[in-house]
Amino acid sequence: MGKREPGDAQPYFSTHVFVCGNRRPEGHDRGCCASKGSEKLRDYMKARVKEEKIPGIRINQSGCLDRCELGPCAVIYPEGVWYRLDSREAVDRVIEIHIVGGGRVEDLLLPAGK
Amino acid sequence: MGKREPGDAQPYFSTHVFVCGNRRPEGHDRGCCASKGSEKLRDYMKARVKEEKIPGIRINQSGCLDRCELGPCAVIYPEGVWYRLDSREAVDRVIEIHIVGGGRVEDLLLPAGK
């Protein structure tokens, strides 16, 4: 597990969210996050944090996060907490409770180690 | 700054690397990481960590990490350390010294807060 060292610079983003944007061909047995709407949900999340003027945050799209069956997936660093973001409401709750409030949205957390 | 909480699951990946794959039109004044070869360097990094059988690691492409002028950029989480990965040699050194060895490759680190 990577660890921060005393000499490390402060992380450039306080909150760095990666939303899986992987798209597989229709019918692939693992499915994919893009087919479940992840691209639009990522755009929505980006717009919402801008509206809220949340400082030090970046919402990025990423390649396949390899948890396809559980998606649409997102991971928030540096804390390394994973969520299923399957609706605008889910995005709103993660912003409000986790990102702004420092809590966890228990019913949207991905299960450990699967 | 996001913090881990006592009840959080272990991060799904011990080492999660995001290599910027953003491509802008030729001549854009900020440039972009893809025009500096980031896509092939990401593929090389992915192949190298597979060859080395490094456990618990994922090498992802990401959208624009917004440090275009310093690229090709990559960030390693959970530690949140940023590097300029501008050659295969740079990739090899980051794998050997940072990812495997737990150190830092000082001459490739991105400057803090720029």
Side-chain angles (χ1 to χ4, degrees):
Chain A
M1 180 73 63
K3 286 180 186 159
R4 288 188 56 74
E5 297 294 328
D8 285 341
Q10 277 300 99
Y12 189 73
F13 298 116
S14 303
T15 303
H16 203 166
V17 181
F18 294 91
V19 180
C20 182
N22 192 45
R23 184 175 290 281
R24 287 209 174 91
E26 199 75 26
H28 191 286
D29 60 0
R30 292 197 71 191
C32 66
C33 291
S35 75
K36 299 171 200 161
S38 68
E39 294 158 313
K40 284 189 177 171
L41 289 164
R42 180 261 176 187
D43 291 344
Y44 176 72
M45 191 171 201
K46 188 175 174 181
R48 287 288 295 117
V49 302
K50 194 170 180 181
E51 279 170 12
E52 297 285 341
K53 299 187 172 59
I54 298 171
I57 190 168
R58 183 115 183 134
I59 313 294
N60 273 121
Q61 191 161 314
S62 78
C64 178
L65 296 175
D66 204 25
R67 306 186 78 179
C68 320
E69 297 80 0
L70 304 171
C73 295
V75 57
I76 305 179
Y77 283 112
E79 57 266 51
V81 173
W82 292 70
Y83 285 108
R84 174 178 169 89
L85 293 184
D86 57 0
S87 66
R88 288 185 168 210
E89 188 216 350
V91 170
D92 287 339
R93 291 171 65 218
V94 167
I95 291 172
E96 181 186 341
I97 298 170
H98 182 119
I99 293 171
V100 176
R104 300 292 180 264
V105 191
E106 298 290 340
D107 60 299
L108 296 176
L109 288 171
L110 295 200
K114 282 186 187 170
Chain B
M1 179 74 63
K3 285 180 185 161
R4 287 187 58 73
E5 296 294 329
D8 286 342
Q10 277 298 100
Y12 189 72
F13 297 116
S14 304
T15 304
H16 204 166
V17 181
F18 295 91
V19 180
C20 181
N22 191 46
R23 183 176 291 281
R24 286 209 176 91
E26 199 75 27
H28 191 287
D29 61 0
R30 292 197 72 190
C32 66
C33 291
S35 75
K36 299 171 199 161
S38 68
E39 294 159 312
K40 285 190 176 173
L41 290 164
R42 180 262 177 184
D43 291 344
Y44 175 71
M45 192 173 201
K46 188 174 174 182
R48 288 286 296 118
V49 303
K50 193 170 181 183
E51 281 171 9
E52 297 283 341
K53 299 185 171 61
I54 297 171
I57 189 168
R58 182 114 184 136
I59 312 295
N60 273 121
Q61 192 161 314
S62 78
C64 179
L65 296 175
D66 204 25
R67 306 187 78 180
C68 319
E69 298 79 359
L70 304 171
C73 295
V75 57
I76 305 179
Y77 283 111
E79 57 266 51
V81 173
W82 292 71
Y83 284 109
R84 176 178 167 90
L85 294 184
D86 58 359
S87 65
R88 290 187 165 208
E89 189 216 346
V91 171
D92 288 339
R93 290 172 65 217
V94 167
I95 292 173
E96 181 185 340
I97 297 170
H98 183 119
I99 293 173
V100 176
R104 299 293 181 262
V105 190
E106 298 291 340
D107 60 301
L108 297 176
L109 289 170
L110 294 200
K114 283 187 187 169

